[in-house]
Amino acid sequence: MNFQTKAEEILGRNLKPSEGIEISQIQAQEKILNTRIPAELSSFYTTLGNSELFTDGFQHFAKIEELLIKDNKLVFLEENQSVVYWAVDLDDHKTIYQTTDQDFEEQVIWSKEEFELEKFLEMMLYFQCVMADESFHQQSKSGFVHYLSLDNEVYDLNTNTKDFIDNLGENFKEVVNGNGLSIYWNTDSIITYFLDSEGNINDMVFACTKNEKFSIQLIEDYEFNEF
């Protein structure tokens, strides 16, 4: 994947070289770990490793020097509440696993994710952006200025809201479907919701947008709330 193209599409601006890290930093860590960092993950870091919106907006990507190996898996991502960790298999450089075991000195139980590394990282670009708070967006000059949420009970009770969510594909591109998430994107907005085991909306719907008129429409017509 071309992370620069994808990130610039989301942000609506050109990336700066300083938003990535030097390849020499990756090579130095590879020597310390005595392994090759998977190419897609390496590309993510060289493009966006210093962009806090994408590396720390919600979930936390490890700094290059913090990467660690457990059970021949490279642990690179920590959930925002430090409950879940994600790793990529170092045999095939693409299979993603998660664990809720937090002591990597002890035995770890791994669960395989639905998405492989490339799709998983693409998902994270959108997810980090829609879940990040205002400070990350201001720092990154992303252009997103409105952040909204919707309780799934409103979706269940409000026919107008249900129709809007069920037909997001008419005005948005569905960029992610699976791995517990559905994410829709257009040039100035991202909408995401969590999926249950049957593919239905679970809990909340979240949106971020650069478009004030669309933000007002979400509030007045579909009962979203700003946060």
Side-chain angles (χ1 to χ4, degrees):
M1 180 200 296
N2 188 319
F3 289 103
Q4 179 168 345
T5 299
K6 183 65 64 175
E8 289 179 347
E9 183 179 69
I10 293 170
L11 298 174
R13 65 167 177 82
N14 294 331
L15 288 176
K16 300 176 182 178
S18 60
E19 291 177 272
I21 68 171
E22 298 291 337
I23 188 65
S24 59
Q25 293 179 255
I26 293 175
Q27 293 168 339
Q29 188 64 13
E30 287 178 330
K31 288 183 179 180
I32 292 171
L33 296 174
N34 193 30
T35 192
R36 293 293 303 275
I37 294 172
E40 291 290 340
L41 189 59
S42 177
S43 178
F44 174 88
Y45 277 107
T46 56
T47 307
L48 296 167
N50 287 327
S51 172
E52 292 190 359
L53 174 62
F54 292 113
T55 61
D56 282 301
F58 191 66
Q59 320 291 35
H60 306 298
F61 280 83
K63 304 295 185 185
I64 280 294
E65 62 273 16
E66 297 171 345
L67 292 172
L68 63 90
I69 296 173
K70 176 67 176 180
D71 300 331
N72 204 39
K73 298 172 178 61
L74 186 70
V75 182
F76 67 92
L77 184 63
E78 176 184 345
E79 187 249 355
N80 69 311
Q81 295 180 325
S82 301
V83 174
V84 183
Y85 294 83
W86 288 270
V88 58
D89 194 295
L90 288 174
D91 285 329
D92 64 20
H93 281 207
K94 63 181 182 179
T95 305
I96 297 292
Y97 294 88
Q98 68 160 263
T99 183
T100 56
D101 296 323
Q102 299 170 30
D103 187 350
F104 290 102
E105 298 298 321
E106 302 294 332
Q107 182 178 359
V108 171
I109 297 174
W110 298 98
S111 300
K112 186 178 177 181
E113 290 277 5
E114 178 180 347
F115 289 161
E116 294 182 343
L117 180 60
E118 181 177 12
K119 186 64 178 178
F120 185 87
L121 292 174
E122 180 184 15
M123 173 186 72
M124 289 304 301
L125 293 183
Y126 293 100
F127 186 69
Q128 295 286 80
C129 198
V130 74
M131 298 299 290
D133 65 29
E134 184 178 3
S135 64
F136 286 102
H137 286 283
Q138 288 180 339
Q139 184 182 42
S140 72
K141 297 180 173 59
S142 71
F144 291 97
V145 292
H146 303 283
Y147 317 99
L148 308 101
S149 64
L150 173 78
D151 193 292
N152 66 341
E153 290 184 1
V154 176
Y155 168 84
D156 292 333
L157 296 173
N158 187 320
T159 302
N160 198 32
T161 301
K162 187 177 189 305
D163 184 65
F164 169 70
I165 297 296
D166 289 350
N167 293 285
L168 280 172
E170 294 180 0
N171 297 301
F172 287 77
K173 178 182 178 181
E174 187 177 34
V175 291
V176 175
N177 188 294
N179 217 81
L181 283 174
S182 184
I183 303 178
Y184 289 82
W185 168 88
N186 67 18
T187 54
D188 59 19
S189 305
I190 304 173
I191 296 177
T192 186
Y193 51 83
F194 296 96
L195 301 169
D196 64 19
S197 59
E198 297 180 352
N200 300 314
I201 292 178
N202 183 25
D203 195 23
M204 305 288 291
V205 180
F206 295 93
C208 66
T209 181
K210 306 174 186 181
N211 186 327
E212 184 176 10
K213 289 179 66 176
F214 182 56
S215 174
I216 293 171
Q217 181 185 16
L218 290 176
I219 294 168
E220 295 184 348
D221 294 349
Y222 308 121
E223 296 190 61
F224 277 71
N225 294 299
E226 284 201 283
F227 65 92

PDB file of all heavy atoms in Angstrom, residues 144-169:
ATOM      1  N   PHE A 144     -10.167  18.312   9.932  1.00  0.00           N
ATOM      2  CA  PHE A 144     -11.372  17.846  10.625  1.00  0.00           C
ATOM      3  C   PHE A 144     -11.607  18.704  11.856  1.00  0.00           C
ATOM      4  O   PHE A 144     -10.728  18.855  12.695  1.00  0.00           O
ATOM      5  CB  PHE A 144     -11.230  16.383  11.026  1.00  0.00           C
ATOM      6  CG  PHE A 144     -11.237  15.423   9.858  1.00  0.00           C
ATOM      7  CD1 PHE A 144     -10.048  14.958   9.315  1.00  0.00           C
ATOM      8  CD2 PHE A 144     -12.434  15.010   9.295  1.00  0.00           C
ATOM      9  CE1 PHE A 144     -10.044  14.083   8.237  1.00  0.00           C
ATOM     10  CE2 PHE A 144     -12.446  14.141   8.214  1.00  0.00           C
ATOM     11  CZ  PHE A 144     -11.253  13.668   7.686  1.00  0.00           C
ATOM     12  N   VAL A 145     -12.819  19.248  11.958  1.00  0.00           N
ATOM     13  CA  VAL A 145     -13.110  20.161  13.074  1.00  0.00           C
ATOM     14  C   VAL A 145     -14.402  19.819  13.809  1.00  0.00           C
ATOM     15  O   VAL A 145     -14.711  20.435  14.833  1.00  0.00           O
ATOM     16  CB  VAL A 145     -13.185  21.626  12.589  1.00  0.00           C
ATOM     17  CG1 VAL A 145     -11.807  22.116  12.149  1.00  0.00           C
ATOM     18  CG2 VAL A 145     -14.188  21.780  11.443  1.00  0.00           C
ATOM     19  N   HIS A 146     -15.163  18.857  13.316  1.00  0.00           N
ATOM     20  CA  HIS A 146     -16.409  18.472  13.966  1.00  0.00           C
ATOM     21  C   HIS A 146     -16.358  16.981  14.281  1.00  0.00           C
ATOM     22  O   HIS A 146     -16.056  16.164  13.406  1.00  0.00           O
ATOM     23  CB  HIS A 146     -17.611  18.772  13.064  1.00  0.00           C
ATOM     24  CG  HIS A 146     -17.710  20.200  12.641  1.00  0.00           C
ATOM     25  ND1 HIS A 146     -18.165  21.202  13.479  1.00  0.00           N
ATOM     26  CD2 HIS A 146     -17.381  20.806  11.467  1.00  0.00           C
ATOM     27  CE1 HIS A 146     -18.136  22.355  12.842  1.00  0.00           C
ATOM     28  NE2 HIS A 146     -17.662  22.139  11.621  1.00  0.00           N
ATOM     29  N   TYR A 147     -16.702  16.621  15.528  1.00  0.00           N
ATOM     30  CA  TYR A 147     -16.612  15.243  16.004  1.00  0.00           C
ATOM     31  C   TYR A 147     -17.939  14.887  16.650  1.00  0.00           C
ATOM     32  O   TYR A 147     -18.404  15.581  17.563  1.00  0.00           O
ATOM     33  CB  TYR A 147     -15.453  15.095  16.997  1.00  0.00           C
ATOM     34  CG  TYR A 147     -14.226  15.832  16.531  1.00  0.00           C
ATOM     35  CD1 TYR A 147     -13.917  17.093  17.042  1.00  0.00           C
ATOM     36  CD2 TYR A 147     -13.411  15.315  15.529  1.00  0.00           C
ATOM     37  CE1 TYR A 147     -12.814  17.797  16.583  1.00  0.00           C
ATOM     38  CE2 TYR A 147     -12.310  16.011  15.055  1.00  0.00           C
ATOM     39  CZ  TYR A 147     -12.014  17.257  15.594  1.00  0.00           C
ATOM     40  OH  TYR A 147     -10.936  17.958  15.131  1.00  0.00           O
ATOM     41  N   LEU A 148     -18.565  13.811  16.181  1.00  0.00           N
ATOM     42  CA  LEU A 148     -19.927  13.496  16.595  1.00  0.00           C
ATOM     43  C   LEU A 148     -20.081  12.009  16.905  1.00  0.00           C
ATOM     44  O   LEU A 148     -19.309  11.179  16.417  1.00  0.00           O
ATOM     45  CB  LEU A 148     -20.914  13.891  15.493  1.00  0.00           C
ATOM     46  CG  LEU A 148     -20.805  15.328  14.963  1.00  0.00           C
ATOM     47  CD1 LEU A 148     -20.065  15.344  13.637  1.00  0.00           C
ATOM     48  CD2 LEU A 148     -22.178  15.957  14.807  1.00  0.00           C
ATOM     49  N   SER A 149     -21.109  11.708  17.688  1.00  0.00           N
ATOM     50  CA  SER A 149     -21.401  10.313  17.995  1.00  0.00           C
ATOM     51  C   SER A 149     -22.904  10.095  18.022  1.00  0.00           C
ATOM     52  O   SER A 149     -23.697  11.035  18.204  1.00  0.00           O
ATOM     53  CB  SER A 149     -20.792   9.916  19.342  1.00  0.00           C
ATOM     54  OG  SER A 149     -21.386  10.645  20.407  1.00  0.00           O
ATOM     55  N   LEU A 150     -23.291   8.857  17.860  1.00  0.00           N
ATOM     56  CA  LEU A 150     -24.698   8.467  17.834  1.00  0.00           C
ATOM     57  C   LEU A 150     -24.855   7.158  18.595  1.00  0.00           C
ATOM     58  O   LEU A 150     -24.133   6.192  18.323  1.00  0.00           O
ATOM     59  CB  LEU A 150     -25.161   8.278  16.385  1.00  0.00           C
ATOM     60  CG  LEU A 150     -26.564   7.696  16.178  1.00  0.00           C
ATOM     61  CD1 LEU A 150     -27.617   8.777  16.416  1.00  0.00           C
ATOM     62  CD2 LEU A 150     -26.697   7.124  14.771  1.00  0.00           C
ATOM     63  N   ASP A 151     -25.768   7.124  19.539  1.00  0.00           N
ATOM     64  CA  ASP A 151     -26.057   5.892  20.264  1.00  0.00           C
ATOM     65  C   ASP A 151     -26.862   4.962  19.370  1.00  0.00           C
ATOM     66  O   ASP A 151     -27.764   5.402  18.653  1.00  0.00           O
ATOM     67  CB  ASP A 151     -26.842   6.211  21.535  1.00  0.00           C
ATOM     68  CG  ASP A 151     -26.897   5.029  22.477  1.00  0.00           C
ATOM     69  OD1 ASP A 151     -27.548   4.035  22.128  1.00  0.00           O
ATOM     70  OD2 ASP A 151     -26.278   5.108  23.555  1.00  0.00           O
ATOM     71  N   ASN A 152     -26.540   3.678  19.395  1.00  0.00           N
ATOM     72  CA  ASN A 152     -27.241   2.766  18.491  1.00  0.00           C
ATOM     73  C   ASN A 152     -28.728   2.633  18.819  1.00  0.00           C
ATOM     74  O   ASN A 152     -29.510   2.170  17.992  1.00  0.00           O
ATOM     75  CB  ASN A 152     -26.577   1.389  18.451  1.00  0.00           C
ATOM     76  CG  ASN A 152     -26.666   0.625  19.752  1.00  0.00           C
ATOM     77  OD1 ASN A 152     -26.912   1.204  20.809  1.00  0.00           O
ATOM     78  ND2 ASN A 152     -26.458  -0.675  19.683  1.00  0.00           N
ATOM     79  N   GLU A 153     -29.149   3.062  20.019  1.00  0.00           N
ATOM     80  CA  GLU A 153     -30.577   3.057  20.333  1.00  0.00           C
ATOM     81  C   GLU A 153     -31.339   4.038  19.448  1.00  0.00           C
ATOM     82  O   GLU A 153     -32.493   3.792  19.077  1.00  0.00           O
ATOM     83  CB  GLU A 153     -30.794   3.395  21.811  1.00  0.00           C
ATOM     84  CG  GLU A 153     -30.339   2.302  22.762  1.00  0.00           C
ATOM     85  CD  GLU A 153     -30.650   2.631  24.198  1.00  0.00           C
ATOM     86  OE1 GLU A 153     -31.243   3.707  24.455  1.00  0.00           O
ATOM     87  OE2 GLU A 153     -30.313   1.814  25.072  1.00  0.00           O
ATOM     88  N   VAL A 154     -30.692   5.162  19.099  1.00  0.00           N
ATOM     89  CA  VAL A 154     -31.317   6.116  18.180  1.00  0.00           C
ATOM     90  C   VAL A 154     -31.470   5.471  16.810  1.00  0.00           C
ATOM     91  O   VAL A 154     -32.506   5.604  16.141  1.00  0.00           O
ATOM     92  CB  VAL A 154     -30.491   7.412  18.079  1.00  0.00           C
ATOM     93  CG1 VAL A 154     -31.102   8.357  17.055  1.00  0.00           C
ATOM     94  CG2 VAL A 154     -30.385   8.086  19.442  1.00  0.00           C
ATOM     95  N   TYR A 155     -30.430   4.763  16.382  1.00  0.00           N
ATOM     96  CA  TYR A 155     -30.489   4.041  15.107  1.00  0.00           C
ATOM     97  C   TYR A 155     -31.665   3.067  15.100  1.00  0.00           C
ATOM     98  O   TYR A 155     -32.394   2.945  14.109  1.00  0.00           O
ATOM     99  CB  TYR A 155     -29.178   3.299  14.883  1.00  0.00           C
ATOM    100  CG  TYR A 155     -29.199   2.289  13.762  1.00  0.00           C
ATOM    101  CD1 TYR A 155     -28.985   2.668  12.444  1.00  0.00           C
ATOM    102  CD2 TYR A 155     -29.434   0.928  14.032  1.00  0.00           C
ATOM    103  CE1 TYR A 155     -29.007   1.734  11.421  1.00  0.00           C
ATOM    104  CE2 TYR A 155     -29.453  -0.007  13.023  1.00  0.00           C
ATOM    105  CZ  TYR A 155     -29.241   0.394  11.716  1.00  0.00           C
ATOM    106  OH  TYR A 155     -29.268  -0.524  10.701  1.00  0.00           O
ATOM    107  N   ASP A 156     -31.878   2.395  16.206  1.00  0.00           N
ATOM    108  CA  ASP A 156     -32.957   1.420  16.290  1.00  0.00           C
ATOM    109  C   ASP A 156     -34.338   2.071  16.285  1.00  0.00           C
ATOM    110  O   ASP A 156     -35.302   1.485  15.775  1.00  0.00           O
ATOM    111  CB  ASP A 156     -32.814   0.571  17.562  1.00  0.00           C
ATOM    112  CG  ASP A 156     -31.608  -0.349  17.519  1.00  0.00           C
ATOM    113  OD1 ASP A 156     -31.196  -0.729  16.402  1.00  0.00           O
ATOM    114  OD2 ASP A 156     -31.069  -0.678  18.595  1.00  0.00           O
ATOM    115  N   LEU A 157     -34.459   3.284  16.841  1.00  0.00           N
ATOM    116  CA  LEU A 157     -35.765   3.903  17.046  1.00  0.00           C
ATOM    117  C   LEU A 157     -36.139   4.951  16.010  1.00  0.00           C
ATOM    118  O   LEU A 157     -37.319   5.201  15.767  1.00  0.00           O
ATOM    119  CB  LEU A 157     -35.814   4.534  18.449  1.00  0.00           C
ATOM    120  CG  LEU A 157     -35.695   3.560  19.627  1.00  0.00           C
ATOM    121  CD1 LEU A 157     -35.590   4.345  20.933  1.00  0.00           C
ATOM    122  CD2 LEU A 157     -36.887   2.608  19.666  1.00  0.00           C
ATOM    123  N   ASN A 158     -35.123   5.593  15.409  1.00  0.00           N
ATOM    124  CA  ASN A 158     -35.383   6.686  14.482  1.00  0.00           C
ATOM    125  C   ASN A 158     -35.268   6.167  13.047  1.00  0.00           C
ATOM    126  O   ASN A 158     -34.189   5.850  12.568  1.00  0.00           O
ATOM    127  CB  ASN A 158     -34.382   7.822  14.724  1.00  0.00           C
ATOM    128  CG  ASN A 158     -34.685   9.060  13.905  1.00  0.00           C
ATOM    129  OD1 ASN A 158     -35.056   8.969  12.739  1.00  0.00           O
ATOM    130  ND2 ASN A 158     -34.518  10.227  14.513  1.00  0.00           N
ATOM    131  N   THR A 159     -36.412   6.103  12.362  1.00  0.00           N
ATOM    132  CA  THR A 159     -36.428   5.559  10.999  1.00  0.00           C
ATOM    133  C   THR A 159     -35.550   6.363  10.056  1.00  0.00           C
ATOM    134  O   THR A 159     -34.858   5.811   9.184  1.00  0.00           O
ATOM    135  CB  THR A 159     -37.865   5.522  10.454  1.00  0.00           C
ATOM    136  OG1 THR A 159     -38.680   4.737  11.333  1.00  0.00           O
ATOM    137  CG2 THR A 159     -37.915   4.909   9.067  1.00  0.00           C
ATOM    138  N   ASN A 160     -35.545   7.684  10.221  1.00  0.00           N
ATOM    139  CA  ASN A 160     -34.741   8.556   9.378  1.00  0.00           C
ATOM    140  C   ASN A 160     -33.258   8.273   9.565  1.00  0.00           C
ATOM    141  O   ASN A 160     -32.489   8.191   8.598  1.00  0.00           O
ATOM    142  CB  ASN A 160     -35.053  10.016   9.711  1.00  0.00           C
ATOM    143  CG  ASN A 160     -34.601  10.968   8.623  1.00  0.00           C
ATOM    144  OD1 ASN A 160     -34.596  10.625   7.441  1.00  0.00           O
ATOM    145  ND2 ASN A 160     -34.226  12.181   9.010  1.00  0.00           N
ATOM    146  N   THR A 161     -32.839   8.097  10.821  1.00  0.00           N
ATOM    147  CA  THR A 161     -31.445   7.799  11.117  1.00  0.00           C
ATOM    148  C   THR A 161     -31.064   6.431  10.578  1.00  0.00           C
ATOM    149  O   THR A 161     -29.988   6.259   9.980  1.00  0.00           O
ATOM    150  CB  THR A 161     -31.201   7.842  12.641  1.00  0.00           C
ATOM    151  OG1 THR A 161     -31.541   9.130  13.131  1.00  0.00           O
ATOM    152  CG2 THR A 161     -29.752   7.539  12.968  1.00  0.00           C
ATOM    153  N   LYS A 162     -31.909   5.454  10.778  1.00  0.00           N
ATOM    154  CA  LYS A 162     -31.629   4.095  10.289  1.00  0.00           C
ATOM    155  C   LYS A 162     -31.469   4.083   8.775  1.00  0.00           C
ATOM    156  O   LYS A 162     -30.549   3.452   8.231  1.00  0.00           O
ATOM    157  CB  LYS A 162     -32.743   3.140  10.705  1.00  0.00           C
ATOM    158  CG  LYS A 162     -32.449   1.670  10.391  1.00  0.00           C
ATOM    159  CD  LYS A 162     -33.564   0.779  10.894  1.00  0.00           C
ATOM    160  CE  LYS A 162     -33.162  -0.697  10.775  1.00  0.00           C
ATOM    161  NZ  LYS A 162     -32.755  -1.098   9.419  1.00  0.00           N
ATOM    162  N   ASP A 163     -32.333   4.811   8.097  1.00  0.00           N
ATOM    163  CA  ASP A 163     -32.251   4.875   6.639  1.00  0.00           C
ATOM    164  C   ASP A 163     -30.944   5.534   6.192  1.00  0.00           C
ATOM    165  O   ASP A 163     -30.306   5.078   5.234  1.00  0.00           O
ATOM    166  CB  ASP A 163     -33.452   5.658   6.095  1.00  0.00           C
ATOM    167  CG  ASP A 163     -33.481   5.691   4.571  1.00  0.00           C
ATOM    168  OD1 ASP A 163     -33.651   4.621   3.964  1.00  0.00           O
ATOM    169  OD2 ASP A 163     -33.330   6.790   4.000  1.00  0.00           O
ATOM    170  N   PHE A 164     -30.535   6.591   6.899  1.00  0.00           N
ATOM    171  CA  PHE A 164     -29.276   7.272   6.567  1.00  0.00           C
ATOM    172  C   PHE A 164     -28.087   6.340   6.742  1.00  0.00           C
ATOM    173  O   PHE A 164     -27.238   6.219   5.844  1.00  0.00           O
ATOM    174  CB  PHE A 164     -29.118   8.508   7.455  1.00  0.00           C
ATOM    175  CG  PHE A 164     -27.751   9.131   7.401  1.00  0.00           C
ATOM    176  CD1 PHE A 164     -27.311   9.795   6.266  1.00  0.00           C
ATOM    177  CD2 PHE A 164     -26.885   9.043   8.493  1.00  0.00           C
ATOM    178  CE1 PHE A 164     -26.042  10.368   6.214  1.00  0.00           C
ATOM    179  CE2 PHE A 164     -25.629   9.606   8.457  1.00  0.00           C
ATOM    180  CZ  PHE A 164     -25.198  10.276   7.309  1.00  0.00           C
ATOM    181  N   ILE A 165     -27.998   5.671   7.886  1.00  0.00           N
ATOM    182  CA  ILE A 165     -26.868   4.783   8.158  1.00  0.00           C
ATOM    183  C   ILE A 165     -26.860   3.592   7.207  1.00  0.00           C
ATOM    184  O   ILE A 165     -25.806   3.203   6.678  1.00  0.00           O
ATOM    185  CB  ILE A 165     -26.897   4.296   9.624  1.00  0.00           C
ATOM    186  CG1 ILE A 165     -26.748   5.480  10.585  1.00  0.00           C
ATOM    187  CG2 ILE A 165     -25.793   3.262   9.868  1.00  0.00           C
ATOM    188  CD1 ILE A 165     -25.431   6.207  10.506  1.00  0.00           C
ATOM    189  N   ASP A 166     -28.039   3.017   6.964  1.00  0.00           N
ATOM    190  CA  ASP A 166     -28.112   1.836   6.103  1.00  0.00           C
ATOM    191  C   ASP A 166     -27.753   2.144   4.660  1.00  0.00           C
ATOM    192  O   ASP A 166     -27.423   1.228   3.889  1.00  0.00           O
ATOM    193  CB  ASP A 166     -29.521   1.238   6.151  1.00  0.00           C
ATOM    194  CG  ASP A 166     -29.826   0.559   7.478  1.00  0.00           C
ATOM    195  OD1 ASP A 166     -28.880   0.383   8.276  1.00  0.00           O
ATOM    196  OD2 ASP A 166     -31.009   0.221   7.717  1.00  0.00           O
ATOM    197  N   ASN A 167     -27.815   3.413   4.285  1.00  0.00           N
ATOM    198  CA  ASN A 167     -27.545   3.793   2.890  1.00  0.00           C
ATOM    199  C   ASN A 167     -26.330   4.720   2.761  1.00  0.00           C
ATOM    200  O   ASN A 167     -26.258   5.529   1.832  1.00  0.00           O
ATOM    201  CB  ASN A 167     -28.787   4.448   2.282  1.00  0.00           C
ATOM    202  CG  ASN A 167     -29.941   3.476   2.131  1.00  0.00           C
ATOM    203  OD1 ASN A 167     -29.947   2.628   1.251  1.00  0.00           O
ATOM    204  ND2 ASN A 167     -30.915   3.579   3.027  1.00  0.00           N
ATOM    205  N   LEU A 168     -25.394   4.598   3.688  1.00  0.00           N
ATOM    206  CA  LEU A 168     -24.194   5.430   3.636  1.00  0.00           C
ATOM    207  C   LEU A 168     -23.438   5.277   2.317  1.00  0.00           C
ATOM    208  O   LEU A 168     -22.806   6.219   1.836  1.00  0.00           O
ATOM    209  CB  LEU A 168     -23.258   5.084   4.801  1.00  0.00           C
ATOM    210  CG  LEU A 168     -23.602   5.680   6.164  1.00  0.00           C
ATOM    211  CD1 LEU A 168     -22.710   5.083   7.249  1.00  0.00           C
ATOM    212  CD2 LEU A 168     -23.468   7.192   6.147  1.00  0.00           C
ATOM    213  N   GLY A 169     -23.531   4.088   1.735  1.00  0.00           N
ATOM    214  CA  GLY A 169     -22.810   3.838   0.488  1.00  0.00           C
ATOM    215  C   GLY A 169     -23.248   4.701  -0.676  1.00  0.00           C
ATOM    216  O   GLY A 169     -22.548   4.778  -1.688  1.00  0.00           O
TER     217      GLY A 169
END
